[in-house]
Structures are given as structure tokens and as C-alpha cells.
Amino acid sequence: MSTVDRAAARERVDTAYARLTQAEREVTRLVHDPATYTREVPYAALAALRESHGVVPVAEPALPGWPEGTGYWLVLRHADVDRVLKDPATFSSSLGGTQMRDPRTEADLAFVRRMMLNMDPPEHSRLRRMLAKSFTPKAIGALETQVRGHVDGILDRMLGLGTGGLAGPAGQGTCDFAKDVSADLPLLTLADVMGVPAPDRWLMFDWANRVIGWQDPDYRISAAFDPSGATDLGRAAYALRPSPGTDGLMPDPRSREGMPDLYAYAHALGTLRREQPGEDVMSILMAQRDDSGGSVSVEEFENLFWLFAVAGNETTRNGMPGGLVGLLGSPDAQAELRARPDGIPNAVEEMLRWWTPVMTFRRTATCDVELSGVSLTRGDKVVVSFAAANRDPEVFAEPDVFDIGRENARRHLAFGAGPHVCLGAFLARSMMTTMFTQLLGRTAWLEAAGEPVWLQSNFQRGVKRLPITWRA
């Protein structure tokens, strides 16, 4: 697919942006600024823009590690976001990629287009079908059993250690739920999916932080992995980890050069799984054949590994502490779920709607189209706001209220929609439902034990720290 006229796209945004009032321009700057999200999601600002515009132009000033861009069109209404995601012929994932920040070069754009996340049908459909077929009923059953075991082990550690890893008073303790509990469950589960040895799983924690949290000064240089207990594969990959430059920034993680440790690990693992298949999903995938009789190449495996290790980690990792924030702020809801645990699956849907771990995603218009009365042209950068769509009062009554009994909570778009709807949504739901069922079943009460710390990002609603006190 050919490139687009970036200068013309920028001129269209600039012209429309100039028509906004001064107050509206200030609101869009607030919404765009990653630092805003270390304090709160600006829901009031998003609501005002959603009501008055639906689709609004947003300027794209230079930020650390983010050169000045063309600007973009922010889509705020649930119906419009749903439409954009379900029409890949008009709103492409491939034309400009799916990140708000443009790839640095045409070569970088060509590279990210090889990832399933940045493909359109029919290329996307081929890999998607093969991957979907790899989640066989037997594999899904095994994963659900493994999830239950992992949750048991994680909560055993949480309830046995108490404050700071030391035994607390009998029947109570304190932990950082974000790091000690919710971070490890998706890592263990993804290790099961991909056949990654458990000692290497914290490599995925660092890789996800560097990619998803590149706007955050702590996460972009994440170094939680300890190579001393890792496999030879893990230590070899760790030796290739890049270092920050003089500006304190890591190389662009969207390029192969920016993640040499991840790609070296993925290449070695893909080769190993082809030669020595196990019972994990990725081993099943490597044995699949497409409609033409072809198989997944090692290069394709590398890019799928990137997708699972990074994107597959974050919704659950931040959805669980985000959901707990809702329960900590609503004692009645916590008490109700303890009394009626059969309400937890619906509560999980409300957690995903109310918290919305992934706040934005990008498409690029392929042709002239109108959206909420706004005329868009080929090459226009279109950014959907899941944060705004999931609180659209046209769909959700009293959308800012955390309501675990909400009848239509599952209409949220936290997993996307259309051909790119999250393939691992069933697994994320399983992890969250199992975690909250066991967490509430094995404790008598949960309370906040300090101020949480949010991720600096206008993409991911991340929870860096969430100190809690539990009573058994």
C-alpha cells in the first residue's frame, strides 16, 4: 500500500484545530499530554469533547522521544469507535500502523506492517485463522487449569508474606497488588501459551514496559529481570539488551534494532519449538498449515511473539489492579461480591469498561469518509478513544459510576471490535475472574494502604503501584 501525503494531512488538522475555541484547544492539549495521566484520566474533558464534537482535531507537539507529528482526529463516541474498528477497508491498520506516534522512517513503517497488529485483511486474516485454530479446546482447558494453579500460588505468596515480604500481624498484611500480584499472573500464563520457561518470564515484563510504557521515565528503562536464575536462552537474550542513550531514552522499541533481546529470544524459541514441539499454543501454531499449505515462518513467529509478550500482557496486568481500584472505592460492591461470588464475571466486564486499560488506538483513513459530520481524507490519522467510548452516556447510563450489576457492561470496547478484536479476550476474562474469585474468597477485607502510582502514558492506563492491606 502506498504512502500518504503527511503535509496535507497536517494542514487539514491545523485548519480544523484553528477553528476550535481557545478553551477547546487547551482541553485537547490536556487529553494528549501523557503527563496528564499520572494524575487522572481527564474524563470531564473527554465528555465535553464527545458531546460537542464527537470527532475532534488534536495537535501533536514534540514530546520526549516523540517528534512533532501531523496531528490526528480523535474519535470519542461509542458508535463511531465501533464503526472505525469494524471497517478496515476505510480505516486501515496497515497504512500508518496502529500507534498514535508515527514510525520514524519508511523502513520502520515497513517493519511494523509485518506484525499482525498492523495488518489489514487478507494478510491479517491468514495469520489470525491459524492462531485461532491453535487455541484448541484441549489447549484452552489446559490453560484454564494452569491459570487456577497460578492464582493459587500467587495468593499463597501474598497471604504468607505480609508487609514487605515479612510476616505481619496474624491474619493480615500489606502488599503492592500491581507488582506482587497482578503483574505475575499474565506473565506465567503467557509463558504457558508460548512455551517460555517460567524463569525467563520477567523478560516479558521488561519488554512490555519498554514498548507500552515508553513515555514513562521508569518503564522505558525497565530492568526487573534477574538473569542469574534464567535459562541459557534468557541469559543470551539479556546480554543483547540495549542501553539508554545520553538523553536517557532507549532505542525506539517499535524497530527491530530497538528490541534485539526480544527478537533474539523469539528466534531461538521459534526454532526450538519447530524442532522440538511441546503442548503449548505456539508449538501447535508452528505445526499449522494455511489454506495454501504454507506454515508460519520463524520471522512470523518472532512478530507474533512480540505481539503476545507485549500486547498480550497489558490488558490483564492493568485491568486487575484497575478493577481493584473500583472495589476499594466502593465498599458496598466489595461486600456484595463476597456475598454473591456468582456476580464476579459481570463485575469483571464492568471493571474493564470503567477502567479501560487500553485508552487509544490508531487507524488511517484510506479514502474520503464522513464521521460524526466531520469529513476525513485519505492519509488522515484517526485515533479512537476507548476511554471516551466506554463512558458514552448514549450506551451506558451514569457511565462514571462503577456499577458491578450493570446489565450491558459487556458492550464495552476494552478488547476492541472487528477483525482485530483481542484474540486472547477469553483468557483475560478467565484470569481476572479467577483472580477476583479467589482473592475475595481467601480474604475477609481489602483496603488501600497508600497512594497508587499511575503510568505516564496517553495510550495505556497503567498501574505502577497499588499498595493494599488485606485481612484474612
Side-chain angles (χ1 to χ4, degrees):
M1 189 178 287
S2 61
T3 57
V4 300
D5 188 338
R6 288 171 49 82
R10 175 169 182 168
E11 183 178 354
R12 288 189 292 273
V13 171
D14 288 347
T15 299
Y17 187 73
R19 297 194 195 105
L20 299 178
T21 66
Q22 180 63 31
E24 288 173 329
R25 288 196 291 270
E26 289 176 0
V27 166
T28 64
R29 284 194 287 270
L30 179 74
V31 167
H32 178 74
D33 187 356
T36 297
Y37 299 85
T38 63
R39 302 182 295 275
E40 62 181 359
V41 178
Y43 281 116
L46 290 170
L49 293 173
R50 183 181 57 228
E51 182 176 354
S52 60
H53 292 279
V55 177
V56 64
V58 179
E60 201 176 345
L63 295 166
W66 187 336
E68 184 178 14
T70 62
Y72 55 90
W73 300 87
L74 187 64
V75 182
L76 299 147
R77 294 173 183 159
H78 188 283
D80 291 334
V81 171
D82 192 60
R83 175 186 168 188
V84 167
L85 297 176
K86 290 179 177 177
D87 185 2
T90 304
F91 301 100
S92 170
S93 297
S94 176
L95 189 54
T98 53
Q99 282 203 329
M100 194 186 303
R101 177 180 58 154
D102 291 318
R104 291 177 303 116
T105 65
E106 287 297 319
D108 284 348
L109 175 58
F111 176 72
V112 300
R113 282 175 173 166
R114 299 206 295 267
M115 298 180 182
M116 193 171 76
L117 186 69
N118 302 304
M119 290 179 178
D120 293 324
E123 292 84 0
H124 170 266
S125 305
R126 169 185 167 268
L127 280 175
R128 173 92 182 194
R129 281 195 299 269
M130 294 178 73
L131 193 53
K133 287 194 295 184
S134 301
F135 283 95
T136 63
K138 180 180 177 181
I140 291 172
L143 286 170
E144 290 176 338
T145 298
Q146 289 163 328
V147 165
R148 289 192 291 271
H150 294 323
V151 171
D152 274 338
I154 291 168
L155 292 182
D156 284 348
R157 292 194 297 271
M158 179 188 112
L159 299 173
L161 292 178
T163 305
L166 301 174
Q172 68 180 58
T174 300
C175 72
D176 178 352
F177 186 82
K179 181 68 183 291
D180 300 335
V181 179
S182 68
D184 207 13
L185 179 56
L187 294 178
L188 286 163
T189 303
L190 286 170
D192 294 334
V193 170
M194 298 187 292
V196 172
D200 293 348
R201 68 187 185 277
W202 285 91
L203 279 168
M204 294 188 289
F205 180 84
D206 288 337
W207 291 332
N209 284 353
R210 281 159 51 191
V211 175
I212 301 296
W214 66 270
Q215 299 169 334
D216 188 276
D218 297 327
Y219 272 24
R220 63 182 170 230
I221 56 171
S222 179
F225 175 69
D226 179 2
S228 63
T231 67
D232 291 343
L233 206 65
R235 285 192 293 272
Y238 180 77
L240 298 174
R241 171 189 165 91
S243 300
T246 55
D247 57 2
L249 300 177
M250 295 284 272
D252 189 339
R254 297 169 301 169
S255 66
R256 193 178 187 92
E257 294 74 20
M259 300 291 286
D261 44 346
L262 181 150
Y263 282 102
Y265 193 98
H267 183 88
L269 184 66
T271 302
L272 180 65
R273 287 290 164 261
R274 173 147 285 165
E275 296 171 352
Q276 303 174 29
E279 296 185 353
D280 54 275
V281 171
M282 287 302 177
S283 290
I284 298 171
L285 174 67
M286 295 297 275
Q288 291 280 354
R289 292 291 181 266
D290 61 23
D291 295 340
S292 302
S295 61
V296 172
S297 68
V298 172
E299 181 187 73
E300 287 175 325
F301 176 88
E302 291 170 9
N303 289 326
L304 287 169
F305 182 91
W306 185 102
L307 180 64
F308 271 76
V310 175
N313 189 358
E314 291 302 303
T315 297
T316 311
R317 172 181 160 188
N318 291 304
M320 280 191 290
L324 185 55
V325 169
L327 291 181
L328 295 175
S330 180
D332 289 346
Q334 184 179 164
E336 182 176 345
L337 292 181
R338 290 181 183 279
R340 294 185 57 253
D342 60 328
I344 290 175
N346 192 73
V348 165
E349 302 300 333
E350 177 66 354
M351 291 170 182
L352 291 164
R353 181 203 71 83
W354 183 80
W355 187 255
T356 307
V358 178
M359 296 185 289
T360 56
F361 241 91
R362 181 250 182 102
R363 298 291 189 264
T364 304
T366 63
C367 59
D368 292 349
V369 63
E370 188 172 289
L371 199 62
S372 271
V374 174
S375 296
L376 302 174
T377 300
R378 174 181 167 81
D380 285 344
K381 189 188 303 188
V382 179
V383 175
V384 295
S385 173
F386 296 118
N390 282 344
R391 297 207 181 189
D392 188 341
E394 291 295 316
V395 179
F396 305 106
E398 297 184 284
D400 294 327
V401 174
F402 179 67
D403 178 7
I404 60 170
R406 188 180 297 277
E407 292 183 358
N408 69 341
R410 199 172 173 119
R411 287 193 64 188
H412 67 76
L413 296 170
F415 293 121
H420 281 276
V421 68
C422 178
L423 189 62
F426 78 92
L427 196 53
R429 287 183 166 109
S430 176
M431 283 189 277
M432 290 184 65
T433 299
T434 303
M435 174 58 75
F436 281 105
T437 299
Q438 295 196 31
L439 177 66
L440 297 177
R442 295 180 63 179
T443 60
W445 199 249
L446 303 167
E447 293 180 352
E451 290 298 314
V453 179
W454 314 132
L455 182 69
Q456 180 170 299
S457 173
N458 58 14
F459 168 53
Q460 186 82 24
R461 193 178 184 192
V463 185
K464 293 167 66 174
R465 288 185 285 282
L466 182 62
I468 65 166
T469 297
W470 52 267
R471 296 200 308 272

